[in-house]
Amino acid sequence: MLDLKRIRENVDGVIKRLNQRGEDFSYLHELVKHDEERREIISALETLKAQRNATSKSIGKLKREGKDIDEVMATLEHDKVTIQQLEKTLTSLENSIEKTLLMTPNIPHENIPIGKDEDDNPLIKTVGDIPKFTFEVKPHWELGPELNILDFDRATKMSASRFTVYKGLGARLERALIQFMMDLHSDTHGYTELILPYIINRKSMVAAGQFPKFEDDAFKLVDDRDLYLNPTAEVPSINMHRDEILTADQLPIRYVAFTTAFRQEAGSAGRDTRGIIRQHQFNKVELIQFTTPEQSYEALDCILASSEQVLKQLKLPYRVVELCSGDIGFAMAKTYDIEVYIPAYKTYREIGSISNAEDYQARRANIKYRPTKDAKPEFVHTLNGSGLAVGRTVVAILENYQQEDGSVKVPEVLIPYMKIDTIK
RNA sequence: GGAGUAGUACUCAAGCGGCUGAAGAGGUGCCCCUGCUAAGGGCAUAGGUCGGGGAACCGGCGCGAGGGUUCAAAUCCCUCCUACUCCGCCA
């Protein structure tokens, strides 16, 4: 959520920056008008309430003294109606302001590249060499069933499309990757492990910025408690500290969480229909940080480096792009995507996303910290990054490590977890 | 799933329509006495948020959350959430 004061003080500046996202945010002028009205009403209302409070108090005294109160009662009766009317107007103004703010995305960081869509995302770096195959490569959706480690048909039978059964060494590979990533981030990079609920309430979804705008992409439980399947560990993790005031020495807080993520993929019908690139259910290891505003961009680089470390150790070729203003996520001010090379596509595909939300989520989630012992609380900055998407890592390994005979070599760092060196 | 009980400030806890913007205790902070590994005394301690103001300050809201009754609610009514106890079931 954006700071209403910031919008009020510089609407045109805010709109100009938001418009870099490629939409029109001039509706914020109306928001400012509503805000002005709102403050006028508050002033009037508070004067009336102060009066009423004082008078009501005096009634208590008069009554105890046995004096007549009819006259005072009459004026109060009149004020009561006025107060009720003003309150009604105020509530509807506040609701409309709130609604607008919740639907307005974060302001892109001032230094991010301006662009329309993913084609305008500048390349930051490329790491590792694209493997040269002396035979025709197979896509993972062929390798998987042939090795008897992925089963698409049976998954559809027991569930629906976009679900997959991992079997034998496939299941082992998934589990090994999770273990490897969690160990790396907790032991080497200093993150605290979390195991989180997979069923999330609406408030948490709103706080993280998923709702109300992206409700269609969540799986809603048929339940009168308004609960949803976890779409990414970012959501429960950010909500760890919702409505809390942290102390400066608690920061930065670093969490690593493995969760299974569930997504409707509502806008993606027909895309990536083969294989496990785009599933309704997938595993992901996520890195989360809560920092002071001063430290957040340093933390962003730090998370990026930690995520890259996963691919470096797996010896998978990847590149890093920075998202341009038109491609950046709703709640984020700046984002890097890590893309891994996928031989079947002969291109790089997103395997992780590392973002700084600055104080956008912190405002929605009301997460503050006290810079010094007696200072006023300020909003923290929140960051999140994949470390990494496990299913897509499986794809990258199967395809990049495939051999001519259809077997797949196990990356060296996974051998201790897999306890074998070849999937065949 | 059935039957209860409870949610008040950092913590414990009193209050059950106006004198409570919240007694009391603990904790914490400052000060005094004393002087040696103890303790005694005094004072302070609602944070947060919103509105007004250059500021000191003033005001609104706040007793789990949201509604309602009333001139006035922590206190009465309704809905919800959470925790605990007992029974049943269960990994």
Side-chain angles (χ1 to χ4, degrees):
Chain A
M1 190 147 61
L2 298 181
D3 183 3
L4 186 53
K5 283 196 195 102
R6 181 175 176 185
I7 300 175
R8 180 194 301 161
E9 281 157 16
N10 182 14
V11 218
D12 294 319
V14 169
I15 291 174
K16 196 175 160 199
R17 292 271 296 280
L18 281 172
N19 282 352
Q20 294 173 347
R21 285 180 174 271
E23 289 169 58
D24 181 20
F25 291 92
S26 52
Y27 65 79
L28 289 178
H29 282 117
E30 202 180 323
L31 181 81
V32 173
K33 265 187 219 143
H34 284 166
D35 175 50
E36 252 169 65
E37 270 181 73
R38 171 183 147 264
R39 285 182 297 147
E40 275 168 30
I41 291 176
I42 286 175
S43 283
L45 198 53
E46 287 187 353
T47 311
L48 279 171
K49 280 190 176 175
Q51 262 173 43
R52 181 199 61 191
N53 289 349
T55 317
S56 281
K57 226 172 189 174
S58 73
I59 288 180
K61 270 189 210 128
L62 292 173
K63 267 194 160 174
R64 260 174 276 128
E65 292 161 9
K67 290 182 180 159
D68 184 62
I69 54 167
D70 289 355
E71 232 175 273
V72 219
M73 292 286 273
T75 63
L76 279 177
E77 202 93 48
H78 176 260
D79 283 355
K80 189 191 174 190
V81 179
T82 318
I83 287 173
Q84 277 175 347
Q85 281 169 347
L86 285 175
E87 267 179 344
K88 215 175 152 192
T89 316
L90 182 64
T91 306
S92 83
L93 271 172
E94 280 176 343
N95 286 343
S96 126
I97 289 168
E98 165 99 350
K99 205 172 149 194
T100 305
L101 282 177
L102 286 178
M103 291 297 275
T104 303
N106 201 355
I107 296 173
H109 186 270
E110 56 184 344
N111 291 335
I112 78 167
I114 309 302
K116 211 171 102 221
D117 53 34
E118 59 181 21
D119 296 333
D120 297 326
N121 295 340
L123 178 68
I124 302 297
K125 61 174 149 183
T126 305
V127 178
D129 297 321
I130 291 172
K132 293 188 180 68
F133 294 96
T134 55
F135 54 93
E136 200 173 329
V137 296
K138 289 179 181 170
H140 70 278
W141 57 81
E142 286 177 17
L143 286 166
E146 282 171 19
L147 289 164
N148 198 20
I149 59 173
L150 296 178
D151 190 333
F152 303 109
D153 298 338
R154 290 196 175 95
T156 306
K157 175 169 68 181
M158 68 182 78
S159 176
S161 66
R162 289 204 194 279
F163 287 90
T164 301
V165 170
Y166 291 64
K167 187 179 166 192
L169 291 173
R172 173 86 66 89
L173 179 60
E174 181 88 0
R175 184 160 60 87
L177 278 169
I178 293 163
Q179 197 85 326
F180 162 66
M181 292 179 194
M182 290 302 289
D183 285 352
L184 177 69
H185 296 309
S186 60
D187 297 345
T188 312
H189 298 149
Y191 286 77
T192 304
E193 282 183 56
L194 295 178
I195 291 178
L196 298 157
Y198 287 10
I199 291 176
I200 310 293
N201 60 33
R202 162 168 289 271
K203 212 168 180 185
S204 298
M205 297 290 264
V206 170
Q210 306 286 320
F211 284 11
K213 189 141 191 207
F214 305 105
E215 279 197 54
D216 286 351
D217 208 37
F219 280 100
K220 187 182 200 303
L221 264 57
V222 180
D223 180 287
D224 53 11
R225 286 177 296 180
D226 214 6
L227 296 170
Y228 302 82
L229 290 184
N230 167 56
T232 162
E234 176 196 338
V235 176
S237 308
I238 293 295
N239 280 278
M240 278 287 287
H241 298 291
R242 169 149 55 81
D243 295 318
E244 288 184 21
I245 298 174
L246 308 163
T247 55
D249 62 327
Q250 284 177 274
L251 301 175
I253 294 173
R254 290 128 83 89
Y255 293 132
V256 56
F258 157 73
T259 63
T260 303
F262 300 90
R263 298 183 185 176
Q264 293 270 19
E265 295 297 343
S268 307
R271 290 178 65 191
D272 303 312
T273 48
R274 307 184 78 177
I276 57 173
I277 286 282
R278 192 176 299 275
Q279 298 275 290
H280 286 311
Q281 171 190 321
F282 63 97
N283 293 318
K284 187 154 63 78
V285 169
E286 190 81 5
L287 302 171
I288 303 290
Q289 287 207 30
F290 299 81
T291 74
T292 64
E294 294 75 31
Q295 293 170 325
S296 70
Y297 278 94
E298 200 181 309
L300 182 69
D301 293 339
C302 169
I303 298 177
L304 176 62
S306 296
S307 297
E308 283 186 64
Q309 199 55 38
V310 176
L311 291 174
K312 279 183 183 159
Q313 295 206 12
L314 290 170
K315 296 197 167 68
L316 288 167
Y318 69 93
R319 67 183 189 186
V320 177
V321 299
E322 183 180 352
L323 298 196
C324 72
S325 59
D327 198 28
I328 199 165
F330 182 79
M332 304 306 163
K334 186 179 170 92
T335 298
Y336 294 108
D337 269 7
I338 299 180
E339 301 179 335
V340 69
Y341 185 74
I342 305 291
Y345 293 136
K346 294 192 168 56
T347 186
Y348 292 87
R349 290 301 303 263
E350 181 187 342
I351 195 169
S353 193
I354 295 93
S355 304
N356 187 354
E358 296 189 356
D359 65 1
Y360 187 87
Q361 286 177 321
R363 277 177 197 284
R364 285 179 168 244
N366 190 28
I367 307 168
K368 300 186 168 181
Y369 82 107
R370 236 178 263 283
T372 58
K373 199 166 162 285
D374 299 310
K376 253 191 81 172
E378 284 176 31
F379 289 108
V380 300
H381 279 196
T382 60
L383 302 100
N384 71 284
S386 326
L388 299 161
V390 182
R392 289 191 179 179
T393 308
V394 167
V395 171
I397 289 170
L398 292 181
E399 296 199 9
N400 282 286
Y401 278 85
Q402 64 180 295
Q403 308 295 302
E404 188 160 15
D405 62 358
S407 69
V408 173
K409 280 175 73 176
V410 173
E412 220 178 304
V413 290
L414 291 185
I415 293 176
Y417 296 98
M418 293 289 289
K419 301 189 184 80
I420 48 145
D421 59 12
T422 310
I423 300 172
K424 56 188 176 194

